[in-house]
Amino acid sequence: MSLLQQLVEQKILDKDQARSFEFEVKESGKKEEEIILEKGITSEFFLFSLKSKNLGISLKEVAPEKVPLEVLKLIPEKTAKYYKMISLAREEQILEVGMVYPEDLKAQEAIKFLARQGNFSYKVFLITPSTFAKLLKQYRTLKKEVSKALKELETELKGKALKFEPRTTAELQRLTEEAPITKIVAVLLKHAVEGRASDLHIEPTKEKLRVRFRSLGALHSSIFLPLKAHSAILARIKILANLKIDETRIPQDGRFSAKIEKRFIDFRVSTFPTTLGEKVAIRVLDPFTGLKTFEKLGVDKTNLKLIEEAIKKPYGLILATGPTGCGKTTTLYAILQILNKERINIVTLEDPVEYFIEGINQSQIKPEIGYDFAMGLRHIIRQDPDIIMVGEIRDNQTASLAIHAALTGHLVLSTLHTSNALGVIPRLIDMGIQPYLIPPTLSVVIAQRLVRRLCDNCKEKIKPKKEIKDLILKEIAKFPDLIKKELKIPEPFYIYQPKGCKKCNNQGFTERIALFEVLLITEDISDIILKKVSEKEIAQQASKQGMITMKQDGILKVLGGITTIEEVIRVAEEK
């Protein structure tokens, strides 16, 4: 009985659908499983569990990092790709082989042939297409791919007048055009994207060239390259980013795009001279991971309601605040994606433009030619905008122009550096904004910090230790009354801790989300601003109207199993 017929028996499909899909299988030449998964009829695991019972072959899940390269090599990469079969493990003379289609007679003949050639016995297991795809990537580890390219480079240079360490700009230009150097840079970029790294650092040490990737906020050393490859690799990156390859004394900034994993990714390049030579930092601007919805950012129901109220207004100032790298711009992009409609003209001033959004007029400032935020804001008004985004309010001029734009009927979005939401009002006053101008313009302040999100696949439910439990309960006691009424804490209550699995590369965390505090400027808060700015009074009034602090938002995320108490304490402890 075919898999489609079995799905009919289980009432997942009706007979007409099954007949239609059977016809598609015959016409397309695709496998039954491929059509079922393409149509999203059922989950991959359920389908292959069904297939496992049919064939009487065990379904096996394997962590790719646990398969040694020497075992993987027993089935060549081309053969593995063609027959959808791959080595999983080897014990003495028995090789465990994972096959997506073990019923395929040609695949059976191929593994028999390889067993005779390699003098081993084998045992077949069924694996899912996604497991196969992950394992296939193991053939091309970062170290292996880069090492291969370096060997190719040295081979190509043997017998040539050009040395590995070029002395002139012309030699450097010629060397960067060599295929292996191009390949090394391409491999580094590809691994950065595949590993969801936010940044890639290439930096010279005394003996080697160190390559590090930033993942979940932390840098990890990934590979060391020969120091003699430094100038060629750096020159290749400079050429991509349209920078001067012969300028090594001053920092340079640039940008380029590359097609990786069938989509275009932007890379922002910054070179920096050090005592050991130039280092380069590359920011990976992947719209797939960088452009997020409010849900993905970690905005809960209470805060979401406040932000939605503010962005519905036709005018006003919305400020995102926090330290560098806390996701302020990502939050503003999330707002812009909601507001981006055909009938609305949105113009941005950014330094730099991080992600290109279709339908929005994005402009990058260039202070070196006098085009800064202040100048841009003066000219933006002539572009008939409905919504203006200014990358950052840095000085009195920009602050005054942003306030003026909000007063004259525009919705203005920007960022500011303060430690919390309450600090925005005194900060604006310090920048020379008159207190009476703040209430009619400032709509909402969004303060945030980033924490690591627990892996949903492997997080462990535990009872908190007494000191942790006391800390959580003490913080809950400080919650605004409006929130406490809705909050139900079970007894006993549980929290979660990281464990680590193949889905999260044994880190226990998968991505980063933000802790938020959202201050809505109400009439009561406006009165406090107009009388005399007192952070303490604003804090009391904000609590009365239901504002939760970043730490309190973190506690809610701990109770919800989203992050850990350690992460919350790390970023949101009150100073």
Side-chain angles (χ1 to χ4, degrees):
M1 188 186 291
S2 74
L3 287 167
L4 285 165
Q5 288 167 340
Q6 284 181 284
L7 293 176
V8 171
E9 271 195 2
Q10 300 215 10
K11 296 183 179 178
I12 293 170
L13 281 176
D14 60 40
K15 287 182 180 178
D16 288 339
Q17 285 175 315
R19 276 195 290 271
S20 169
F21 293 144
E22 280 169 358
F23 177 76
E24 197 170 333
V25 169
K26 286 175 187 175
E27 286 295 302
S28 66
K30 290 181 179 178
K31 304 272 187 186
E32 215 181 6
E33 296 90 329
E34 288 177 294
I35 297 293
I36 292 167
L37 293 174
E38 277 176 16
K39 303 292 181 185
I41 297 162
T42 186
S43 72
E44 184 184 66
F45 182 76
F46 178 81
L47 182 68
F48 274 74
S49 296
L50 208 60
K51 183 173 177 175
S52 171
K53 287 176 187 174
N54 291 351
L55 298 173
I57 298 172
S58 300
L59 178 64
K60 191 161 188 172
E61 281 195 55
V62 185
E65 64 275 8
K66 290 188 177 177
V67 182
L69 199 58
E70 57 270 20
V71 170
L72 214 56
K73 283 178 180 176
L74 292 170
I75 296 177
E77 187 180 357
K78 282 184 181 178
T79 306
K81 269 185 182 177
Y82 188 80
Y83 294 108
K84 296 284 191 295
M85 64 181 187
I86 204 157
S87 307
L88 304 178
R90 184 175 185 172
E91 284 187 26
E92 295 177 356
Q93 289 303 104
I94 299 173
L95 182 69
E96 290 184 4
V97 179
M99 300 177 81
V100 180
Y101 305 110
E103 71 279 16
D104 186 331
L105 294 174
K106 287 182 179 177
Q108 289 174 20
E109 286 301 317
I111 190 60
K112 282 177 187 174
F113 174 77
L114 289 169
R116 285 196 300 271
Q117 292 285 101
N119 194 28
F120 60 78
S121 302
Y122 62 90
K123 185 179 179 182
V124 172
F125 290 90
L126 182 67
I127 57 171
T128 62
S130 63
T131 297
F132 174 74
K134 286 173 187 172
L135 285 163
L136 199 62
K137 284 183 181 178
Q138 290 300 100
Y139 279 102
R140 296 183 174 179
T141 61
L142 177 61
K143 194 171 182 179
K144 188 187 170 193
E145 285 190 78
V146 173
S147 299
K148 187 180 174 185
L150 283 167
K151 281 179 186 174
E152 284 177 21
L153 180 62
E154 287 183 322
T155 303
E156 283 191 22
L157 295 178
K158 273 180 186 175
K160 290 187 181 181
L162 183 60
K163 293 179 181 178
F164 205 159
E165 296 179 275
R167 292 180 182 178
T168 67
T169 305
E171 283 182 341
L172 198 54
Q173 183 89 36
R174 282 166 59 201
L175 184 54
T176 58
E177 289 166 6
E178 300 283 351
I181 280 293
T182 304
K183 196 182 290 181
I184 289 168
V185 174
V187 166
L188 293 175
L189 296 176
K190 185 189 77 169
H191 278 269
V193 173
E194 286 180 351
R196 295 198 169 192
S198 61
D199 300 86
L200 163 63
H201 291 245
I202 302 169
E203 49 208 356
T205 65
K206 283 186 177 180
E207 295 176 352
K208 291 181 179 179
L209 187 63
R210 180 171 63 172
V211 178
R212 294 192 288 174
F213 294 103
R214 187 179 292 280
S215 177
L216 299 176
L219 278 168
H220 304 277
S221 288
S222 296
I223 193 170
F224 287 92
L225 303 175
L227 200 55
K228 57 187 178 179
H230 176 221
S231 55
I233 289 170
L234 208 70
R236 173 63 187 161
I237 293 165
K238 283 182 176 181
I239 287 168
L240 286 171
N242 200 25
L243 302 178
K244 295 176 182 176
I245 62 171
D246 57 344
E247 180 55 82
T248 60
R249 300 162 301 167
I250 58 172
Q252 294 187 76
D253 293 311
R255 188 183 184 119
F256 67 93
S257 292
K259 194 173 185 181
I260 295 172
E261 291 187 334
K262 296 181 181 178
R263 64 182 192 274
F264 281 98
I265 311 290
D266 284 333
F267 298 92
R268 196 171 78 217
V269 177
S270 172
T271 67
F272 187 76
T274 73
T275 52
L276 297 171
E278 276 187 293
K279 84 176 283 283
V280 63
I282 303 174
R283 171 65 55 90
V284 182
L285 300 170
D286 184 354
F288 182 75
T289 56
L291 290 173
K292 296 182 179 180
T293 61
F294 280 136
E295 185 187 1
K296 284 274 186 186
L297 287 168
V299 184
D300 68 7
K301 292 176 186 175
T302 309
N303 287 333
L304 183 59
K305 189 181 174 185
L306 296 175
I307 295 170
E308 284 176 340
E309 274 181 41
I311 65 176
K312 280 176 187 173
K313 293 179 182 177
Y315 62 90
L317 178 62
I318 295 172
L319 288 176
T321 184
T324 303
C326 72
K328 299 186 294 293
T329 306
T330 305
T331 298
L332 294 188
Y333 275 132
I335 295 172
L336 288 179
Q337 287 178 91
I338 294 169
L339 297 171
N340 189 14
K341 303 281 190 292
E342 179 69 29
R343 59 190 171 79
I344 292 171
N345 180 24
I346 302 175
V347 187
T348 76
L349 288 170
E350 302 176 57
D351 183 24
V353 174
E354 293 205 5
Y355 299 102
F356 295 105
I357 304 174
E358 191 70 35
I360 293 178
N361 304 290
Q362 294 170 272
S363 180
Q364 181 161 327
I365 66 160
K366 294 176 182 175
E368 66 273 14
I369 58 168
Y371 180 39
D372 56 13
F373 285 127
M375 181 188 180
L377 262 172
R378 286 192 197 95
H379 289 272
I380 250 182
I381 303 299
R382 298 171 197 166
Q383 287 293 314
D384 184 32
D386 298 296
I387 297 165
I388 299 166
M389 184 187 109
V390 184
E392 188 184 341
I393 292 176
R394 294 174 180 170
D395 51 43
N396 167 262
Q397 246 189 333
T398 311
S400 298
L401 288 163
I403 290 284
H404 178 73
L407 274 172
T408 53
H410 302 92
L411 186 62
V412 181
L413 283 65
S414 192
T415 69
L416 200 65
H417 285 285
T418 62
S419 59
N420 57 30
L422 304 176
V424 163
I425 295 156
R427 177 82 180 107
L428 287 172
I429 293 168
D430 286 345
M431 293 176 94
I433 302 301
Q434 293 298 321
Y436 69 85
L437 289 172
I438 297 172
T441 53
L442 189 59
S443 296
V444 73
V445 179
I446 306 162
Q448 62 188 83
R449 295 278 196 289
L450 293 179
V451 293
R452 292 180 297 172
R453 185 185 186 121
L454 281 164
C455 173
D456 289 327
N457 190 58
C458 66
K459 63 185 180 185
E460 283 185 321
K461 191 176 183 180
I462 58 163
K463 276 188 180 180
K465 292 177 184 176
K466 187 183 182 302
E467 58 268 28
I468 296 295
K469 183 180 178 181
D470 291 346
L471 185 150
I472 291 171
L473 293 173
K474 185 181 174 184
E475 199 58 46
I476 288 170
K478 298 178 192 173
F479 273 37
D481 292 334
L482 288 170
I483 304 297
K484 273 197 277 193
K485 283 177 187 175
E486 296 176 11
L487 193 62
K488 291 177 183 177
I489 307 294
E491 183 54 48
F493 71 83
Y494 295 88
I495 60 173
Y496 291 80
Q497 67 180 14
K499 184 183 177 184
C501 66
K502 65 176 184 179
K503 285 192 177 177
C504 61
N505 290 324
N506 292 311
Q507 293 186 70
F509 299 93
T510 50
E511 56 188 351
R512 291 192 294 172
I513 58 162
L515 306 184
F516 289 94
E517 60 185 39
V518 180
L519 174 64
L520 191 69
I521 307 301
T522 59
E523 283 185 20
D524 291 320
I525 286 178
S526 295
D527 288 342
I528 297 167
I529 296 167
L530 291 171
K531 287 173 189 173
K532 189 181 178 183
V533 178
S534 163
E535 258 192 67
K536 189 178 178 182
E537 282 183 56
I538 294 172
Q540 288 169 349
Q541 181 53 43
S543 183
K544 274 185 193 175
Q545 61 192 42
M547 187 193 93
I548 56 172
T549 65
M550 276 182 279
K551 192 175 182 181
Q552 289 168 345
D553 186 36
I555 296 294
L556 292 175
K557 286 180 168 75
V558 169
L559 295 173
I562 295 168
T563 190
T564 66
I565 189 68
E566 290 80 9
E567 282 291 294
V568 173
I569 291 168
R570 178 176 65 83
V571 305
E573 277 284 43
E574 292 172 356
K575 299 289 187 271

